[in-house]
Amino acid sequence: MPRGNNTSINRRKFIAQVAVAAGSAVALTSPFAGFATGFMSVQERITVGQIMDLFIKEAPGAPFPNTVDTLKSGSRDVVVTGIVTTMFATVEVIRKAISLNANFIIAHEPTFYNHTDETAWLEKDDVYRYKADLLKKHNIVVWRNHDYIHGVKPDGVRKGLVDQLGWQQFEDSSHVIYNLSPAMTLKALIGDLKQKLNIEAVRYVGDPEQQCKKVLLLPGAYGGRNQIQSISNTQPDVLVCGEVAEWETAEYVRDARAAGKQLSLIVLGHIVSEEPGSEFMAKWLQEKFPAIKTTHIPTGSSLSFL
């Protein structure tokens, strides 16, 4: 979490004293001075690009070729006044960022309604224009951090989700299987997931009284073929996932049950299953750049239940 005001003041005094003793003000003005000490003084001018580059270095093999993790608005040279982490840079999130004087939004998913954020097809669309103009008017930078947060070790999205569920002690070496102890009924597991992730409702396939010990956890949009192959490889009691194509994994689980397998499926929703990754990102930023106010704003689902 961000440091308190007293701590920040003491740090500024300390840095100033060191600079005077050294006969130089470089320690106060260099944008990289804070990286060496683990904290950053408020006098420093940290840019979007410096924050991006520092996180990208966390991912083995980075920078990635053909990544979707590009700027969707603004410039990497913008000096950061505040940061918002979120799943989607929605119009509501942008408005909240403006109210917080935050000019840097780090979103996990696309801003302009397609995976690569192509906008040529939207140039005459009034919804796109409203959103793009809002970002431009307030000089807000949006960076998508999808590939890199999944690329860090451990995967930042999965770590955020597992931490929120409190399942760290259940994870096996595959990093996708969680052996619950004690086992829970499917009904109890669903209730636990709803409570911990603040979910109004989930979709499921299975017998509510089935015992679930071995959980295959695949947040986000893992893809039907990958989900089915993972089930085949790991033989779980239940797959807990972000989303499914209804004609793929859900039908496989239905047929598996008809064939005699004790297999269930819980569909959390894509946003709910990956939102904890944006909280992971916020904590990373608060640790690396404590003098910049970072706020996690949950997007919530665009869909409602009746």
Side-chain angles (χ1 to χ4, degrees), residues 110-111 124 184 187 207 224 228 231 245 251 304:
T111 298
K124 296 182 179 179
M184 307 172 70
K187 182 178 180 180
D207 176 1
I228 292 167
I231 291 171
E251 289 304 314
S304 302

Side-chain angles (χ1 to χ4, degrees), residues 9-298:
I9 292 170
N10 290 337
R11 284 176 174 165
R12 290 200 295 272
K13 288 180 178 178
F14 172 76
I15 294 173
Q17 290 166 358
V18 170
V20 171
S24 171
V26 173
L28 294 178
T29 58
S30 170
F32 298 101
F35 296 164
T37 59
F39 61 88
M40 181 192 72
S41 73
V42 294
Q43 290 92 339
E44 292 171 339
R45 294 167 59 83
I46 300 299
T47 66
V48 164
Q50 289 166 1
I51 293 173
M52 290 171 56
D53 292 346
L54 191 63
F55 187 82
I56 288 170
K57 287 178 182 178
E58 301 264 344
F64 300 156
N66 304 317
T67 180
V68 295
D69 291 4
T70 58
L71 293 180
K72 311 308 176 182
S73 71
S75 165
R76 61 181 281 117
D77 297 324
V78 168
V79 175
V80 177
T81 60
I83 308 172
V84 164
T85 67
T86 190
M87 273 289 286
F88 288 92
T90 65
V91 169
E92 289 82 2
V93 168
I94 295 167
R95 288 172 177 162
K96 289 178 181 178
I98 294 167
S99 70
L100 291 167
N101 192 35
N103 64 348
F104 187 22
I105 298 175
I106 301 177
H108 184 61
E109 296 295 6
T111 298
F112 296 118
Y113 323 117
N114 65 100
H115 183 57
T116 57
D117 281 292
E118 296 176 5
T119 59
W121 62 289
L122 290 167
E123 285 299 330
K124 296 182 179 179
D125 183 87
D126 55 354
V127 175
Y128 161 73
R129 285 260 45 100
Y130 180 89
K131 190 175 193 178
D133 290 346
L134 184 64
L135 290 166
K136 184 176 181 180
K137 177 182 177 181
H138 294 276
N139 195 28
I140 293 178
V141 181
V142 176
W143 176 45
R144 184 179 183 190
N145 184 6
H146 179 275
D147 299 345
Y148 290 114
I149 196 170
H150 279 303
V152 299
K153 304 296 181 185
D155 180 312
V157 173
R158 176 175 293 275
K159 185 179 188 309
L161 177 59
V162 171
D163 287 351
Q164 191 163 334
L165 293 175
W167 284 7
Q168 301 92 332
Q169 70 273 30
F170 303 138
E171 184 173 346
D172 79 0
S173 59
S174 71
H175 305 298
V176 295
I177 290 292
Y178 297 80
N179 292 293
L180 304 183
S181 181
M184 307 172 70
T185 65
L186 180 62
K187 182 178 180 180
L189 177 58
I190 289 173
D192 191 56
L193 291 167
K194 288 170 63 177
Q195 187 271 323
K196 289 178 177 176
L197 299 178
N198 193 28
I199 305 173
E200 182 180 352
V202 302
R203 296 186 294 171
Y204 75 96
V205 178
D207 176 1
E209 299 307 316
Q210 178 197 323
Q211 289 292 309
C212 299
K213 179 176 179 61
K214 189 176 184 180
V215 179
L216 172 60
L217 182 64
L218 302 177
Y222 210 78
R225 179 171 294 189
N226 287 332
Q227 288 171 339
I228 292 167
Q229 287 180 334
S230 294
I231 291 171
S232 181
N233 291 339
T234 62
Q235 296 294 307
D237 299 318
V238 57
L239 164 63
V240 176
C241 66
E243 66 175 70
V244 296
E246 294 183 15
W247 45 276
E248 295 178 335
T249 306
E251 289 304 314
Y252 176 87
V253 174
R254 173 153 59 178
D255 281 349
R257 293 186 60 78
K261 284 186 172 291
Q262 292 297 300
L263 174 65
S264 294
L265 168 68
I266 302 173
V267 183
L268 300 173
H270 187 121
I271 296 173
V272 167
S273 73
E274 291 203 314
E275 187 76 65
S278 293
E279 295 189 59
F280 167 90
M281 188 66 205
K283 292 175 182 176
W284 182 89
L285 290 161
Q286 289 159 358
E287 177 184 343
K288 301 295 183 180
F289 303 95
I292 299 178
K293 182 179 179 180
T294 296
T295 306
H296 171 242
I297 300 179

